[in-house]
Amino acid sequence: MGLDNTAAEPLIRVENLRKSFGSHLVLKDIDFAVMPGEVVTIIGASGSGKSTLLRCMNLLETPDSGHIWFHGEDLAADRVNINRLREKIGMVFQSFNLFNNKNVLDNCTLAPVTLKKMGKAEAEDVARRNLEAVGLSDFINAPATSLSGGQKQRVAIARALCMKPDLMLFDEPTSALDPEIVGEVLNVMRDLAAEGMTMVVVTHEMAFAKNVSDKVVFMDQGVIAEQGDPQQMFTDPQLPRTREFLARYLED
């Protein structure tokens, strides 16, 4: 679980967010907030808008309207320095997005050195610590192409952590992995949550949502249909649509 946090201000707050692709309205007036130290999982059927919402939260997708407040600044405002704020938001994709022509260490040091002007020695030190945290100390000099899917995803998490983010976004981080290596990535994410990292996770891993989240958000057809603490969501969902989606997990 994330930290018990009594701070009044959310770290990130989404307000009246709308997003269309062509004539297809994907997100309809989304409102939700994430407190510092909180782990929020977003669940729902494919096409419900989960990944689009996540990608709007660091402006990989530009919202049509609405606001995204991060550290009290509106990411959607014209004047905002999006690159400076985005450095504080780590993103882990389902497809790893490593640089295949670089080794593990170089994948992790590239952004801190080029964006933050961190010295090479400091960046390497930070990278080694984060690679150790995800269990990949022995692979520091390995070419990215030589890694398994689970190892690549753990490098991707370490790489995001090297920017020392305040918020980590995970977009279905295990969906491209073979079932037998999903656990190694989820374990790293559990450790991050236990250390108090603020996380928003789009996932189909219901056990993770149930056991690690502080809040579960259920999306359906572009709206947040229901949200609540995992205990309530998994034992007593209020809406028929939520019950239907969770039926096979509730049976267990």
Side-chain angles (χ1 to χ4, degrees), residues 106-118 159 163:
D106 289 343
N107 261 282
C108 292
T109 58
L110 185 69
V113 169
T114 53
L115 296 178
K116 280 209 150 175
K117 313 298 187 277
M118 201 185 276
R159 177 179 64 179
M163 290 296 287

Side-chain angles (χ1 to χ4, degrees), residues 13-170:
R13 180 162 54 89
V14 176
E15 208 174 65
N16 297 329
L17 191 71
R18 290 174 78 85
K19 175 66 180 174
S20 299
F21 293 107
S23 60
H24 179 45
L25 184 58
V26 180
L27 298 176
K28 308 166 189 172
D29 298 318
I30 299 286
D31 290 293
F32 87 116
V34 182
M35 302 304 288
E38 195 170 42
V39 178
V40 177
T41 49
I42 303 177
I43 62 172
S46 294
S48 58
K50 307 183 302 295
S51 290
T52 302
L53 171 57
L54 201 74
R55 292 171 67 86
C56 283
M57 287 171 69
N58 67 354
L59 295 201
L60 284 175
E61 299 288 357
T62 307
D64 297 337
S65 61
H67 303 279
I68 302 157
W69 302 96
F70 177 62
H71 280 306
E73 290 191 63
D74 186 0
L75 295 187
D78 290 339
R79 299 178 311 282
V80 78
N81 183 341
I82 179 58
N83 290 327
R84 182 175 59 78
L85 286 170
R86 200 188 266 152
E87 286 173 13
K88 289 294 189 184
I89 303 176
M91 180 92 182
V92 178
F93 302 88
Q94 54 183 314
S95 54
F96 326 131
N97 290 14
L98 297 183
F99 296 104
N100 285 328
N101 60 336
K102 297 187 181 298
N103 69 16
V104 167
L105 185 63
D106 289 343
N107 261 282
C108 292
T109 58
L110 185 69
V113 169
T114 53
L115 296 178
K116 280 209 150 175
K117 313 298 187 277
M118 201 185 276
K120 195 165 191 298
E122 184 192 352
E124 289 188 356
D125 187 48
V126 169
R128 286 176 203 279
R129 284 204 304 274
N130 283 312
L131 288 165
E132 183 180 354
V134 301
L136 289 174
S137 290
D138 295 344
F139 292 84
I140 279 178
N141 297 310
T145 48
S146 71
L147 304 177
S148 72
Q151 289 166 338
K152 285 178 179 175
Q153 195 57 296
R154 286 187 283 153
V155 171
I157 293 171
R159 177 179 64 179
L161 292 173
C162 285
M163 290 296 287
K164 302 180 180 177
D166 297 332
L167 171 68
M168 287 281 283
L169 306 178
F170 293 86

